């Protein structure tokens, strides 16, 4: 029973851990709703619906996962917008969706004005709108496939196309007058008068001195003629032409129309009497997913007065049937009958509506035709039967005969990525590349097409890479020279043959010669036939000042050495003498490929070597080494000896580090780039520029540390920088001064820096201590007391690894005997450093489980043994 409880507790622990990891991975704090596509928002909605959440609970879930309140509000607006677009949603959404919408022309104008003002002041909002429109155009299904768009669906959803009527145009002569229209009547000539008359609900106007005139249902042209006739009885000047009358429309009335059927927003709309069918469709959002774009009907007095095919406008720009609407007109958008999909290598992939009289060729024209990579010989058709799907191939001859069926999907494939007549030649020809495989083309003819062979062509052998009938590779060899001369049969070429003619330089190592030693630009140079040692020295920039023209050594490769002989030669060494003017006594001597020429230094030639002494000496500065056996005591003596305040125990010697071999490019007199290797030592004299840069760095550090009490001295920073490029050698200047030329008195080397400090009075404690600090030296205190003076060890300190570095550069570490620590003696100017303890790997869940399992196994074994 206890065992089962233990298993249950372990399982609960692991399940809680897994739940914690899963919940920790879901975090919406960094989510930006404006950057989400509509498909991603729909996935969130589907995820919420799968667990029974409504839209309000979805917002609460997003807020609980760390989403900002502003982003939650944006998410709410996006969800509401998508609900309206899809035609579904919560009960409140569906009620609002089915309600009749009534928009007035003035409302539309005011909305557009407000939108223009906001768009000019907030460009970021426009960018978000463009991103949303892009996401609509690139909608994907649950499997990540692009959902094809309906051709023409964006026409009435594009904010850049409004189809607004121009209210400032001259009154059209075909405009039908109706109630609430305002007529402007102007008399000019012998009689001057003007009238503003409103058409009554009965269609009449009352004109002074004339009476009632019925103009309702008449066009402007007809009404003008009727009013002129009625007024001519009173105004006789109209009959003689001495008086003219002009009749125009003042205020335009509003009409009410109804849009029904498969429309995005069905209902009644109040529009201007100048509005057309496209104005009404734009106000209602146009046909929905099931609506027809080809058979939109305008019904007036229960009769179809116009049928509109939107494709005429989309493809040709013709507004056929786009008549002016009248009051109480009804626009009916029926359900589409036949809709097909075009995809693949066409210019406009989409869903297209097809009429009964149209063929597959018309659908191809709707899609803008084939792309430049389309396979036009056949089109694959995926059809829906009463039972299953089937595939059909329609050839190009039957495009005009094939009648599309509802649900057809046409796939236009791409052409094959292969060439029907390609051959290729590469290598040592003047025009390598791809060529047309003409009928009967041979190898010799192709070489002539490539403008012939280069001078360095390898004439003994070439090869052709050919594909067999099963696409396996075959190689055909031929003699280039014999094929060109006609002594060997020419080879007919086939499709995808690749001819390779090598260069003689491709078949051997690149010939080089090396020159090293005392020349200005040592390095590797290209070998040329007849090259001699004088020309090589000239290419290397000539001799250095310390070079000797005698005993020049030329190392040459051995090609026929006896491999079984112990004393077999590995290289042939030739010694030559040459004059300073680069004349050689043996004028017949020539270099061979891969020769290595070594130029020696002249006997007894020495460059000056210098050392530097600084600090507490009478004459600090730079001194030149005069003898090979000059020592530290000698230069101290030359510097006038030590001063009264000198601290000889803290004197140090900094010696340059090892030579660094680095490659650098140099240019000879002809402007050719020469790659050479040079050696440089990290001496202080060669690094004046580096010191200046580090001085700037030290000043920057000093300024950054201006708010700290523990400021770092600028000179000390520069000194530390210099130490980085050299090795610190621990010397005992006290013994050197007492016993010159003893074993403690070292020989000087070029670039040595001797530093004799002033009497030091502090000890520095650094590393893993609570407060790194400089402490006044006290001969009665030990290393442990100095560490305690800096606050003691930190929790991360490696106590046994503490060490001390003395002012002269020597280092002494802590020693341990049994359980006792033997700390080294502390001297003035020393630095005590406590290193950091090596990090320990934390024991994770897997480690705990493994350790627990191991302990349980050991316990079980022990119990079994005891039993």
């Amino acid at each position: 029973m206890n065992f089962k409880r233990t298993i249950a507790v372990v399982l609960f622990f692991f399940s809680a851990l897994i739940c914690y990891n899963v919940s920790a991975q879901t975090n919406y704090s960094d989510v930006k709703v404006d950057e989400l596509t509509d498909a991603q928002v729909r996935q969130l909605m589907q995820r919420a619906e799968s667990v029974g959440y409504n839209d309000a609970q979805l917002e609460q879930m997003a807020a609980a996962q760390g989403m900002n309140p502003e982003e939650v509000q944006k998410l709410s607006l996006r969800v509401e917008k998508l609900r309206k677009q899809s035609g579904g949603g919560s009960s409140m959404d569906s009620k609002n969706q089915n309600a009749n919408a009534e928009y007035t022309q003035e409302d539309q104008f005011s909305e557009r004005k407000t939108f223009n003002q906001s768009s000019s002041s907030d460009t970021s909002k426009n960018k978000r709108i463009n991103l949303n429109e892009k996401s609509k155009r690139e909608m994907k299904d649950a499997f990540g496939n692009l959902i094809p768009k309906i051709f023409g669906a964006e026409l009435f959803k594009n904010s850049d196309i409004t189809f607004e009527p121009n209210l400032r145009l001259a009154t059209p002569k075909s405009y039908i007058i109706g109630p609430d229209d305002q007529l402007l009547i102007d008399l000019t000539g012998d009689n001057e008068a003007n009238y503003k008359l409103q058409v009554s609900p009965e269609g009449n106007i009352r004109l002074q001195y004339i009476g009632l005139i019925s103009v309702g249902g008449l066009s402007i042209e007809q009404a003008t003629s009727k009013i002129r006739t009625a007024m001519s009885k009173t105004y006789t000047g109209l009959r003689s032409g001495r008086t003219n009358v002009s009749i125009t429309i003042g205020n335009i009335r509003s009409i009410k129309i109804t849009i029904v059927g498969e429309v995005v927003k069905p209902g009644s709309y109040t529009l201007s009497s100048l509005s057309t069918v496209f104005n009404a469709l734009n106000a209602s959002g146009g046909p929905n997913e099931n609506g027809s774009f080809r058979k939109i009907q305008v019904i007036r007095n229960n009769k179809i007065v116009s049928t509109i095919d939107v494709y005429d406008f989309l493809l040709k720009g013709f507004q056929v049937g786009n008549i002016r609407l009248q009051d109480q007109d009804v626009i009916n958008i029926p359900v589409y009958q036949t809709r097909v999909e075009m995809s693949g290598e066409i210019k406009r992939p989409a869903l297209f509506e097809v009429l009964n009289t149209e063929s597959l060729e018309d659908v191809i024209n709707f899609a803008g035709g084939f792309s430049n990579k389309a396979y036009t010989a056949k089109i694959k058709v995926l059809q829906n039967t009463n039972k299953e799907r089937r595939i059909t191939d329609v050839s190009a001859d039957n495009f005009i005969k094939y009648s599309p069926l509802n649900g057809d999907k046409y796939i236009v494939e791409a052409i094959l990525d292969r060439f029907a007549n390609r051959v290729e030649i590469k290598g040592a020809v003047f025009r390598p590349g791809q060529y047309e495989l003409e009928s009967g083309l041979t190898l010799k003819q192709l070489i002539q097409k490539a403008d012939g062979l280069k001078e360095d062509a390898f004439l003994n052998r070439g090869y052709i890479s050919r594909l067999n009938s099963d696409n396996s590779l075959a190689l055909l060899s031929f003699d280039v020279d014999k094929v060109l001369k006609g002594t060997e049969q020419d080879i007919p070429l086939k499709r995808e043959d690749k001819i390779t003619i090598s260069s003689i330089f491709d078949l051997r190592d690149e010939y080089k010669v090396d020159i090293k030693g005392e020349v200005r630009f040592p390095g590797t140079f290209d070998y040329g036939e007849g090259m001699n040692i004088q020309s090589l020295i000239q290419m290397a920039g000539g001799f250095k000042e310390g070079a000797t023209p005698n005993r020049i050594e030329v190392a040459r490769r051995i090609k026929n050495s006896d491999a079984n002989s112990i004393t077999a030669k590995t290289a042939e060494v030739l010694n030559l003498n040459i004059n300073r003017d680069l004349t050689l006594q043996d004028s017949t001597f020539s270099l061979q490929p891969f020769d290595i020429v070594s130029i020696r230094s002249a006997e007894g030639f020495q460059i000056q070597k210098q050392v530097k002494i600084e600090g507490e000496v009478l004459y600090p500065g730079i001194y030149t080494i005069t003898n090979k056996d000059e020592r530290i005591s000698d230069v101290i003596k030359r510097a006038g000896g030590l001063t009264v305040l000198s601290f000889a125990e803290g004197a140090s010697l900094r010696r340059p580090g090892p030579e660094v071999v680095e490659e650098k490019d140099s240019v000879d007199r002809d402007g050719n780039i020469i790659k050479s290797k040079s050696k440089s030592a990290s001496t202080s004299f060669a690094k004046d520029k580096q010191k200046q840069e580090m001085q700037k760095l030290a000043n920057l550090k000093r300024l950054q540390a201006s708010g700290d009490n523990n400021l770092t001295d600028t000179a000390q920073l520069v000194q530390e920088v210099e130490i980085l490029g050299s090795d610190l050698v621990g010397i005992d200047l006290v013994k050197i001064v007492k016993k010159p030329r003893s074993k403690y008195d070292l020989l000087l080397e070029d670039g040595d820096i001797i530093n004799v400090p002033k009497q030091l009075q502090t000890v520095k404690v650094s590393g893993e201590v609570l407060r790194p600090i400089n402490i006044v030296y006290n001969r009665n205190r030990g290393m442990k007391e100095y560490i305690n003076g800096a606050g003691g060890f930190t929790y991360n300190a490696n106590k046994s690894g503490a060490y001390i570095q003395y002012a002269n550069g020597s280092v002494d570490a802590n020693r341990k005997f049994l359980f006792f620590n033997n700390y080294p003696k502390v001297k003035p100017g020393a630095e005590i450093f406590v290193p950091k303890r090596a990090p320990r790997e934390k024991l994770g869940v897997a480690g705990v489980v493994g350790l627990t399992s191991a302990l349980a196994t050991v316990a079980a074994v022990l119990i079994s043994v005891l039993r």
Side-chain angles (χ1 to χ4, degrees):
M1 190 68 180
N2 293 333
F3 179 76
K4 292 183 178 179
R5 289 182 180 177
T6 303
I7 293 298
V9 170
V10 173
L11 291 176
F12 175 79
F13 172 76
F14 278 109
S15 62
L17 182 62
I18 292 173
C19 293
Y20 171 77
N21 290 334
V22 172
S23 63
Q25 291 174 357
T26 307
N27 185 9
Y28 297 106
S29 60
D30 297 330
V31 173
K32 302 297 181 184
V33 177
D34 293 334
E35 298 177 359
L36 297 177
T37 63
D38 288 354
Q40 292 173 328
V41 177
R42 283 193 175 90
Q43 290 179 359
L44 291 176
M45 295 164 58
Q46 294 173 0
R47 191 181 306 169
E49 290 172 358
S50 64
V51 295
Y53 286 179
N54 56 23
D55 294 345
Q57 291 172 329
L58 171 61
E59 298 169 13
Q60 296 175 2
M61 180 184 70
Q65 297 296 336
M67 183 177 288
N68 296 329
E70 297 178 0
E71 300 298 327
V72 172
Q73 184 66 23
K74 293 180 182 179
L75 178 63
S76 175
L77 296 177
R78 288 285 296 276
V79 171
E80 182 181 358
K81 182 179 179 181
L82 292 176
R83 295 285 189 197
K84 290 181 180 180
Q85 290 180 357
S86 59
S90 60
S91 58
M92 293 297 295
D93 292 336
S94 60
K95 290 179 182 178
N96 295 332
Q97 182 93 16
N98 296 329
N100 291 334
E102 294 190 1
Y103 295 162
T104 63
Q105 191 73 28
E106 291 79 6
D107 292 337
Q108 295 179 17
F109 291 157
S110 63
E111 289 176 0
R112 292 190 184 96
K113 184 177 180 181
T114 304
F115 174 76
N116 291 334
Q117 292 175 353
S118 63
S119 62
S120 63
S121 62
D122 191 0
T123 57
S124 61
K125 184 176 181 181
N126 290 337
K127 293 180 180 179
R128 292 196 296 268
I129 293 174
N130 293 333
L131 289 175
N132 292 335
E133 291 179 353
K134 183 178 180 180
S135 63
K136 293 176 186 177
R137 292 194 297 268
E138 298 180 355
M139 193 74 69
K140 295 183 179 181
D141 57 15
F143 300 98
N145 301 318
L146 287 175
I147 299 176
K149 62 180 181 180
I150 300 174
F151 181 64
E154 296 181 356
L155 176 63
F156 303 109
K157 299 176 183 178
N158 189 352
S159 60
D160 297 332
I161 303 177
T162 59
F163 296 103
E164 291 182 7
N166 191 347
L167 302 180
R168 303 185 64 181
L169 288 174
T171 305
K173 294 182 178 180
S174 61
Y175 178 75
I176 304 299
I177 300 175
D180 295 333
D181 277 343
Q182 186 183 56
L183 297 183
L184 303 179
I185 302 176
D186 291 327
L187 281 174
T188 57
D190 291 344
N191 305 103
E192 296 285 343
N194 58 77
Y195 303 94
K196 294 182 179 180
L197 305 176
Q198 188 169 356
V199 181
S200 66
E202 292 80 13
N204 300 323
I205 59 173
R206 181 176 293 277
L207 191 59
Q208 188 179 11
Y209 308 123
I210 305 299
L212 290 176
I213 301 176
S214 176
V215 293
L218 300 179
S219 65
I220 286 292
E221 188 176 13
Q222 294 171 346
T224 301
S225 177
K226 188 173 182 178
I227 293 173
R228 176 188 292 272
T229 302
M231 293 181 68
S232 62
K233 297 177 182 179
T234 303
Y235 300 97
T236 57
L238 291 174
R239 287 178 288 181
S240 62
R242 297 174 61 86
T243 301
N244 296 319
V245 62
S246 172
I247 301 174
T248 58
I249 296 294
N251 293 333
I252 297 175
R253 72 183 187 277
S254 297
I255 61 174
K256 181 172 288 188
I257 57 101
T258 304
I259 304 178
V260 296
E262 299 300 324
V263 66
V264 174
K265 293 181 290 187
S268 298
Y269 293 83
T270 300
L271 305 174
S272 165
S273 57
L274 291 177
S275 298
T276 63
V277 181
F278 279 6
N279 300 135
L281 292 175
N282 181 69
S284 63
N288 60 19
E289 294 181 355
N290 294 324
S292 172
F293 285 80
R294 310 292 304 275
K295 297 180 180 180
I296 300 176
Q297 302 169 345
V298 180
I299 301 174
R300 184 175 299 161
N301 299 326
N302 296 327
K303 293 182 180 179
I304 300 175
V305 296
S306 178
T307 301
I308 298 175
D309 188 348
V310 181
Y311 279 23
D312 288 336
F313 177 73
L314 293 173
L315 299 174
K316 305 174 185 177
F318 299 158
Q319 299 187 30
V320 180
N322 186 25
I323 63 174
R324 186 172 291 109
L325 296 175
Q326 297 185 13
D327 192 33
Q328 301 303 321
D329 278 355
V330 177
I331 299 177
N332 178 41
I333 301 180
V335 179
Y336 71 86
Q337 297 299 320
T338 303
R339 182 179 287 172
V340 299
E341 179 185 352
M342 286 289 292
S343 62
E345 294 296 329
I346 51 174
K347 297 177 182 177
R348 213 164 26 215
L351 294 172
F352 297 94
E353 186 178 349
V354 185
L355 301 179
N356 296 332
T357 58
E358 294 173 338
S359 64
L360 176 57
E361 187 172 6
D362 296 319
V363 179
I364 296 173
N365 294 331
F366 294 161
F370 298 107
S371 69
N372 55 351
K373 295 182 180 180
Y375 175 61
T376 59
K378 289 182 181 180
I379 292 180
K380 292 187 181 297
V381 184
L382 304 181
Q383 297 177 334
N384 298 329
T385 64
N386 296 331
K387 182 180 179 181
E388 57 189 1
R389 304 195 72 184
R390 64 190 300 266
I391 187 170
T392 304
D393 291 333
V394 180
S395 60
D397 298 336
N398 296 324
F399 287 170
I400 196 171
K401 301 176 184 178
Y402 181 83
S403 298
L405 301 176
N406 187 33
D408 281 357
K409 181 176 181 180
Y410 305 109
I411 301 175
V412 181
E413 297 179 340
I415 57 176
L416 299 177
D417 188 14
R418 57 177 287 175
F419 290 86
N421 60 341
R422 178 179 66 174
V423 291
E424 183 179 356
I425 185 170
K426 56 184 179 179
V429 292
F430 284 103
R431 295 189 181 275
Q434 299 175 354
Y435 290 88
E436 176 190 0
L437 178 61
E438 300 172 348
S439 178
L441 183 67
T442 62
L443 174 61
K444 183 177 180 180
Q445 293 173 351
L446 180 60
I447 294 175
Q448 293 173 352
K449 270 191 170 185
D451 286 349
L453 301 177
K454 290 184 177 180
E455 295 81 356
D456 59 340
F458 182 65
L459 301 178
N460 294 336
R461 184 68 58 188
Y463 62 90
I464 302 174
S465 298
R466 176 168 292 178
L467 295 179
N468 295 325
S469 57
D470 58 352
N471 275 350
S472 61
L473 185 64
L475 289 178
L476 303 179
S477 299
F478 60 92
D479 191 314
V480 180
D481 188 46
K482 292 182 179 180
V483 169
L484 292 179
K485 291 180 178 178
T487 57
E488 186 174 301
Q489 185 178 1
D490 203 354
I491 302 175
L493 299 180
K494 295 183 179 180
R495 186 184 69 85
E496 294 298 336
D497 277 356
K498 294 183 180 180
I499 296 90
T500 302
I501 299 175
S502 301
S503 168
I504 57 175
F505 302 111
D506 297 334
L507 303 178
R508 72 178 189 191
D509 290 338
E510 190 175 2
Y511 287 171
K512 299 284 186 180
V513 289
D514 288 345
I515 184 169
K516 301 178 180 181
E518 297 301 312
V519 289
R520 296 180 63 237
F521 304 115
T524 302
F525 297 86
D526 292 330
Y527 172 78
E529 188 175 355
M531 188 176 189
N532 53 33
I533 193 169
Q534 301 96 309
S535 58
L536 179 60
I537 294 174
Q538 185 177 2
M539 293 170 65
F543 293 115
K544 285 185 178 180
E545 182 183 359
T548 175
N550 301 323
R551 300 181 58 82
I552 296 177
E553 185 177 279
V554 179
R556 182 164 293 172
R557 288 184 178 181
I558 298 296
K559 298 180 180 179
N560 298 318
S561 178
D562 188 1
N564 297 322
S565 175
I566 298 179
T567 59
K569 299 180 80 174
T570 58
E572 182 182 0
V573 177
L574 305 174
N575 291 316
L576 302 173
N577 295 326
I578 192 171
N579 298 325
R580 281 281 180 178
D581 57 356
L582 299 183
T583 58
L584 185 65
Q585 297 177 358
D586 187 3
S587 59
T588 61
F589 180 81
S590 298
L591 294 176
Q592 294 185 7
F594 312 111
D595 279 355
I596 299 176
V597 179
S598 299
I599 309 297
R600 309 297 183 191
S601 297
E603 182 180 357
F605 178 80
Q606 293 288 337
I607 61 174
Q608 299 92 330
K609 297 180 180 180
Q610 293 180 317
V611 297
K612 183 179 182 181
I613 183 168
E614 55 190 14
E616 294 301 316
V617 292
L618 290 179
Y619 305 105
I622 298 175
Y623 291 85
T624 302
I625 300 175
T626 58
N627 301 314
K628 291 184 178 181
D629 61 344
E630 190 163 359
R631 298 175 182 267
I632 297 177
S633 60
D634 297 329
V635 76
I636 292 289
K637 189 175 182 180
R638 291 171 62 186
L642 304 178
T643 64
V644 178
L645 296 178
S646 63
F647 181 57
E649 293 183 0
S652 62
L653 170 65
R654 291 198 303 274
R655 179 153 288 177
E659 292 181 334
V660 179
V661 179
E662 56 182 7
E663 287 192 1
K664 62 180 181 180
D665 293 342
S666 55
V667 182
D668 59 10
R669 295 181 178 179
D670 297 331
N672 301 318
I673 297 178
I674 303 173
K675 289 188 175 292
S676 60
K677 296 181 180 180
S678 64
K679 296 182 179 180
S680 62
S682 55
T683 63
S684 59
F685 311 116
K687 294 190 173 181
D688 291 338
K689 186 175 181 180
Q690 182 182 5
K691 286 184 182 180
Q692 296 175 2
E693 297 295 331
M694 301 316 295
Q695 178 74 33
K696 296 179 182 178
L697 178 61
N699 293 334
L700 179 61
K701 288 184 178 181
R702 177 174 56 81
L703 292 175
Q704 292 176 346
S706 59
D708 194 353
N709 294 328
N710 186 15
L711 298 180
T712 305
D713 186 69
T714 304
Q716 184 178 356
L717 283 173
V718 176
Q719 185 177 3
E720 291 177 356
V721 170
E722 292 179 354
I723 293 175
L724 292 177
S726 58
D727 296 331
L728 195 61
V729 181
I731 60 174
D732 192 342
L733 189 58
V734 176
K735 295 181 179 180
I736 293 175
V737 174
K738 288 182 178 180
K739 296 182 179 181
R741 295 193 171 269
S742 63
K743 63 178 181 179
Y744 306 105
D745 196 2
L746 303 181
L747 293 172
L748 293 175
E749 294 184 6
D750 186 25
D752 282 352
I753 300 177
I754 302 171
N755 182 26
V756 182
K758 189 182 291 186
Q759 183 67 41
L760 302 175
Q761 300 175 342
T762 59
V763 175
K764 184 178 181 180
V765 184
S766 60
E768 293 299 321
V769 291
L770 293 178
R771 175 63 173 169
I773 195 173
N774 290 324
I775 302 175
V776 178
Y777 172 73
N778 187 347
R779 69 174 62 187
N780 297 323
R781 301 178 69 176
M783 181 176 175
K784 188 67 176 293
E785 284 77 8
Y786 282 103
I787 294 176
N788 292 334
F793 297 104
T794 64
Y795 74 96
N796 211 21
N798 183 7
K799 299 179 182 179
S800 61
Y803 64 90
I804 184 169
Q805 180 176 357
Y806 297 107
N808 65 348
S810 59
V811 178
D812 198 358
N814 180 25
R815 298 179 182 86
K816 196 167 186 180
F817 177 73
L818 296 180
F819 301 101
F820 303 98
N821 290 322
N822 183 15
Y823 293 104
K825 184 180 178 180
V826 181
K827 297 180 181 180
E831 179 181 0
I832 301 172
F833 184 80
V834 181
K836 189 176 182 180
R837 185 174 55 191
R840 297 179 181 177
E841 185 177 357
K842 294 182 179 180
L843 194 61
V845 177
V848 172
V849 173
L851 182 59
T852 305
S853 302
L855 293 176
T857 303
V858 173
V861 172
L862 292 176
I863 292 172
S864 300
V865 172
L866 293 175
R867 287 181 179 178

